[in-house]
Amino acid sequence: MRILIGQPIHEKQIEQMKNDIKAKDSIDLVLYPEGYLSDENALEEACKLAKEYKIAIVSSYRKDNKDRAVIISCDGEKILERAKTIPDENVELHEPLTVFYNNNSIGYILCMEILKANRDLKRVEEKIDFIVHPIGVGMFSEEQFEQWVREAKVIAKTYKTIVIGTSHADGSYRNCGVSIPISYCIDSNGEPIFITKSDIRSRIVDLDSKKFETIG
């Protein structure tokens, strides 16, 4: 499976996603950050785009000013859709945590949910082939960057799966003014296929060969 990992800027429409999909052949899935789909209209546009180009789309969308997880199949159907789990450590990750698609069990964690994933993914009985991790904005400190990468490595190694994450290129957590854009792909041994810091170019990773290419 070939996955395009984008780091767009925030926008009301989905022009950056359209341009990424139109520019590249032989892509099976596109991973975009949390909240890139700004509302339900943008979500429906993404569903149409997935169906038109026969490509799966992973991101999240905003509804009632809250982020919701979504995976769209190449038929334009929403095959995973749920609320984001609140940060309270006593609250477990909301279901569903995985979806079976195109002969793969795909795990899904949304932004700060990564801090609960190593604990709560134990509820998943089947082998997870890879986990997608849409992140809203870049990290607000070097310490957070290292923490989230470390968590991704632990999850990958614990569950013997690939973990892939990406953030927007702009914006900052609660408008704090600090943002370190991040994207990464960790293999099932917990070793990096790539990790980027403040490098907002898109990438394509081939899950079969464990190789990637940088776009732009």
Side-chain angles (χ1 to χ4, degrees), residues 133-195:
H133 178 213
I135 304 166
V137 295
M139 306 289 95
F140 57 73
S141 67
E142 293 286 346
E143 290 77 15
Q144 187 197 16
F145 187 98
E146 295 300 327
Q147 179 192 27
W148 285 34
V149 168
R150 185 169 59 249
E151 286 294 324
K153 291 178 178 179
V154 169
I155 293 163
K157 194 171 182 178
T158 300
Y159 295 95
K160 302 298 181 187
T161 189
I162 296 169
V163 186
I164 312 165
T166 190
S167 77
H168 282 92
D170 66 336
S172 62
Y173 178 66
R174 295 185 176 177
N175 297 316
C176 68
V178 178
S179 178
I180 306 171
I182 179 175
S183 70
Y184 69 83
C185 183
I186 309 298
D187 72 16
S188 57
N189 295 312
E191 297 297 324
I193 296 175
F194 72 83
I195 299 172

Side-chain angles (χ1 to χ4, degrees), residues 4 15-25 27 30 32 46 49-50 53-57:
L4 188 150
E15 294 305 311
Q16 293 163 96
M17 181 182 283
K18 288 179 180 178
N19 291 337
D20 269 347
I21 291 175
K22 291 176 181 178
K24 291 295 175 181
D25 296 325
I27 300 300
V30 171
Y32 259 45
L49 186 66
Y53 287 91
K54 295 298 179 185
I55 188 168
I57 293 173

Side-chain angles (χ1 to χ4, degrees), residues 37-127:
L37 304 175
S38 60
D39 54 28
E40 291 175 272
N41 291 329
L43 172 63
E44 291 309 311
E45 284 298 309
C47 290
K48 293 175 184 177
L49 186 66
K51 185 175 183 179
E52 179 180 358
Y53 287 91
K54 295 298 179 185
I55 188 168
I57 293 173
V58 176
S59 184
S60 89
Y61 74 101
R62 300 282 290 176
K63 180 180 180 181
D64 300 327
N65 205 34
K66 294 181 179 180
D67 292 297
R68 296 186 65 85
V70 69
I71 297 179
I72 303 166
S73 75
C74 66
D75 296 318
E77 300 296 327
K78 295 182 283 291
I79 57 174
L80 184 149
E81 197 276 348
R82 65 166 172 83
K84 181 180 179 179
T85 314
I86 63 173
D88 186 334
E89 66 179 17
N90 296 313
V91 177
E92 294 188 347
L93 292 178
H94 293 327
E95 302 278 358
L97 298 177
T98 62
V99 64
F100 193 75
Y101 172 73
N102 197 23
N103 296 317
N104 286 286
S105 175
I106 304 173
Y108 187 113
I109 49 179
L110 185 56
C111 202
M112 294 178 70
E113 291 183 346
I114 192 172
L115 302 177
K116 303 181 181 188
N118 189 48
R119 179 194 71 188
D120 292 351
L121 285 171
K122 291 182 174 67
R123 305 202 310 261
V124 178
E125 296 181 357
E126 74 271 14
K127 169 74 169 63

Side-chain angles (χ1 to χ4, degrees), residues 195-213:
I195 299 172
T196 73
K197 179 190 294 185
S198 299
D199 179 349
I200 60 174
R201 292 174 294 177
S202 297
R203 283 162 179 81
I204 296 173
V205 64
D206 188 316
L207 297 190
D208 296 321
S209 67
K210 308 298 189 296
K211 295 181 179 179
F212 75 94
E213 61 181 282

